[in-house]
Amino acid sequence: SEFLNGLEVSAAKKAAIKKLQDLGAGEGTVQYRLRDWGVSRQRYWGCPIPIIRCGDCGEVPVPEKDLPVELPKDVDLTVAGNPLDAHPTWKHVKCPTCGNDAVRETDTFDTFFESSWYFSRFTSPDSEGAFDPDAADYWLPVDQYIGGIEHAVLHLLYSRFFTRALKDCGYIGIKEPFAGLMTQGMICHETYQTKDNKWLTPEEAMRLDVNDYTVGRSEKMSKSKKNVVDPEIIISEYGADTARLFMLSDSPPDRDLDWTDSGIEGAWRYVAKLWRMVAENISNLPPAGSAIPNKLGDSANNIHRQIHKTIDGVTRDLDAFHFNKAVARIRELTNLLANTLANSLASTKDGPDVSAVLREGFEVVTKLINPMMPHLAEELWQLLGHDTMLADEPWPVAIEKLLVDDTVTIGVQVMGKLRGTVELPKDCDNATAEAAALGIANVQTAMGGKTPKKIVVVPNRIINVVI
């Protein structure tokens, strides 16, 4: 194999093929792993395959004027085998070609066959034909495809095949049906087995002694392994919003999610906290529709800025499918509002400006959490004094100027080692930055009474004292 030594895999393959061809021992070819797609199913529900079988003419397509072929409504689903094949009258028809007695094809299409082009129909649902080519070319491709990992090798593959076939036949002008793909992860849960290796549901395991079963690894929820959580139990105990919040906040949507009792309980505690925070303080807030004062104190200004930074961050996160990051930002803002309430109750320094931004904060949190927890959000919106549906309200828009900080936190080094930080006005002059840096006790200690040879100021980033 000397002629292959030192080559990368792809180059080695080409070299091996060339060698075999030169020796007359073989030739290069392309091997596809694609297999024939069996599109027929022996069942009642599904789109009938429009073929008629005639003893003289063979397989004859159903005439276009007789399409679509409709399923019988008096089918007996208790019979063995394909109910359509057992129907006494539906399958018996005349041959469209010769007029002799014939029978319909009783198989129905695989559902993937039917769903592999429906997005084209959606572009012109009232079209008399399958779809309007001009409308399909205008609206397609689909901007975003979302599906499980099995879609990447089934539905996605079939849809691409259909689209290319439609293009080759002149029905459509695009080659690819989807512009973007996001594959979501699976919901996982621990598995439980009895000593004789029978699978248990989580509820069944809870009713047994811990010595009567073993706990297996967390795997994709499946009926076969019974490691599923009944959503009705979760909804009845915690509510649908709590379940939604937990699933969105625990991990990115493209990764697997481990379902845990502690996770759902944590989400429930946040739901309860948010409700109490608004319900218990609504009487201390200005009325709905009140404007933010033109001049805000330091405390109110900081909250006001964080509210709009949260709007901006959550909006960008949702656009990027970073739902867990969006929830984290909302919870962070909720904590800021809660801490402000606690401090305001113990202080007389905060005035009506803080109450005004607290109302703004409550309303923004309510709007931002609406996609995750629509039931709670609508209740909070009513509680906040609004008589409209939150679902009809516009999405909040961040005020651009509030996204830029007036001050920056800068690290201060002495001979390259960090000795502290200082809060400075953004883009301040070097003299102000140097004075602030030298005023830090740790910096003076590190200097040991020496006079600095120079002070290097990188605006808005770092200050380094050289001694």
Side-chain angles (χ1 to χ4, degrees):
S1 63
E2 292 84 358
F3 72 101
L4 297 176
N5 292 346
L7 297 179
E8 296 289 337
V9 173
S10 59
K13 288 179 180 178
K14 293 177 181 178
I17 291 170
K18 185 177 185 304
K19 188 76 169 179
L20 289 168
Q21 288 175 334
D22 291 343
L23 293 172
E27 62 180 21
T29 186
V30 176
Q31 286 281 82
Y32 290 100
R33 296 184 181 180
L34 291 175
R35 294 173 291 178
D36 288 342
W37 176 18
V39 298
S40 59
R41 298 293 183 269
Q42 294 72 49
R43 62 188 176 200
Y44 167 69
W45 55 275
C47 180
I49 297 175
I51 293 292
I52 293 173
R53 300 183 184 277
C54 175
D56 296 325
C57 305
E59 296 180 347
V60 181
V62 173
E64 189 169 344
K65 65 180 179 62
D66 295 331
L67 295 177
V69 177
E70 295 187 1
L71 294 169
K73 296 182 179 180
D74 58 345
V75 66
D76 182 3
L77 298 177
T78 64
V79 300
N82 185 352
L84 288 176
D85 196 43
H87 195 280
T89 60
W90 178 81
K91 67 179 182 180
H92 297 289
V93 292
K94 296 293 183 180
C95 174
T97 302
C98 68
N100 292 332
D101 290 341
V103 292
R104 294 187 187 278
E105 171 61 65
T106 57
D107 284 359
T108 55
F109 278 122
D110 172 10
T111 52
F112 277 123
F113 188 95
E114 298 145 28
S115 65
S116 292
W117 65 277
Y118 66 88
F119 42 85
S120 299
R121 175 65 180 180
F122 283 178
T123 64
S124 51
D126 297 324
S127 174
E128 292 186 2
F131 54 83
D132 179 356
D134 291 335
D137 289 344
Y138 175 81
W139 289 107
L140 297 177
V142 176
D143 293 310
Q144 184 65 52
Y145 182 107
I146 302 175
I149 189 63
E150 71 280 2
H151 282 214
V153 292
L154 292 176
H155 183 259
L156 182 62
L157 175 67
Y158 303 146
S159 296
R160 296 180 69 200
F161 164 76
F162 261 68
T163 301
R164 292 185 181 222
L166 288 170
K167 183 179 187 301
D168 289 347
C169 293
Y171 290 106
I172 204 168
I174 64 167
K175 188 176 181 180
E176 290 288 347
F178 311 114
L181 169 66
M182 199 280 283
T183 303
Q184 79 248 22
M186 300 293 184
I187 306 294
C188 303
H189 198 285
E190 289 178 333
T191 52
Y192 309 95
Q193 280 183 290
T194 61
K195 292 181 179 180
D196 55 352
N197 295 324
K198 291 183 178 179
W199 296 106
L200 297 170
T201 66
E203 290 76 23
E204 290 171 336
M206 288 178 62
R207 292 194 291 267
L208 297 177
D209 187 274
V210 292
N211 298 315
D212 293 336
Y213 65 91
T214 57
V215 180
R217 66 181 183 179
S218 181
E219 297 187 40
K220 178 185 73 172
M221 286 189 182
S222 66
K223 291 180 288 186
S224 61
K225 295 183 179 178
K226 293 188 174 183
N227 61 333
V228 295
V229 176
D230 188 343
E232 289 189 0
I233 297 175
I234 299 300
I235 292 170
S236 64
E237 190 168 350
Y238 298 102
D241 278 355
T242 303
R244 290 162 61 98
L245 180 69
F246 168 59
M247 288 190 289
L248 290 172
S249 62
D250 191 72
S251 65
D254 56 343
R255 296 184 185 176
D256 291 344
L257 163 69
D258 279 320
W259 187 278
T260 62
D261 291 340
S262 59
I264 193 72
E265 288 168 2
W268 164 246
R269 285 194 296 271
Y270 171 74
V271 170
K273 172 184 176 179
L274 180 57
W275 174 262
R276 287 197 307 270
M277 186 174 71
V278 176
E280 293 174 1
N281 294 281
I282 188 65
S283 60
N284 298 321
L285 300 180
S290 300
I292 299 291
N294 292 327
K295 188 173 182 180
L296 299 176
D298 290 342
S299 177
N301 187 56
N302 289 337
I303 301 168
H304 191 43
R305 286 182 175 276
Q306 193 56 46
I307 289 170
H308 286 267
K309 287 181 180 180
T310 303
I311 293 172
D312 179 66
V314 169
T315 302
R316 287 185 285 106
D317 287 338
L318 293 180
D319 286 341
F321 297 105
H322 296 160
F323 305 130
N324 58 317
K325 292 182 180 179
V327 173
R329 291 184 198 271
I330 297 169
R331 295 184 71 152
E332 185 178 352
L333 177 59
T334 304
N335 289 337
L336 173 63
L337 299 176
N339 293 336
T340 301
L341 283 167
N343 294 333
S344 296
L345 292 175
S347 171
T348 58
K349 295 185 297 181
D350 294 323
D353 57 343
V354 171
S355 296
V357 294
L358 280 174
R359 167 170 275 283
E360 180 190 35
F362 288 163
E363 294 193 353
V364 165
V365 166
T366 300
K367 286 184 175 182
L368 296 181
I369 209 71
N370 189 35
M372 297 85 168
M373 299 192 294
H375 305 92
L376 175 68
E378 290 289 354
E379 291 287 346
L380 288 173
W381 190 245
Q382 296 294 318
L383 188 63
L384 286 164
H386 298 278
D387 55 8
T388 60
M389 286 286 291
L390 179 56
D392 295 328
E393 293 293 313
W395 185 254
V397 178
I399 299 175
E400 290 289 336
K401 67 179 182 180
L402 297 178
L403 305 181
V404 181
D405 289 323
D406 293 332
T407 61
V408 290
T409 302
I410 297 176
V412 181
Q413 299 175 338
V414 177
M415 298 301 291
K417 291 187 177 181
L418 185 66
R419 299 298 181 180
T421 59
V422 64
E423 190 84 10
L424 292 172
K426 191 175 183 181
D427 299 323
C428 69
D429 58 84
N430 283 7
T432 301
E434 292 172 5
L438 295 176
I440 300 175
N442 283 350
V443 171
Q444 290 294 328
T445 301
M447 291 171 59
K450 297 179 181 179
T451 302
K453 294 180 180 179
K454 64 178 179 178
I455 302 176
V456 180
V457 178
V458 180
N460 304 321
R461 295 187 62 185
I462 196 76
I463 301 171
N464 188 29
V465 180
V466 181
I467 56 176

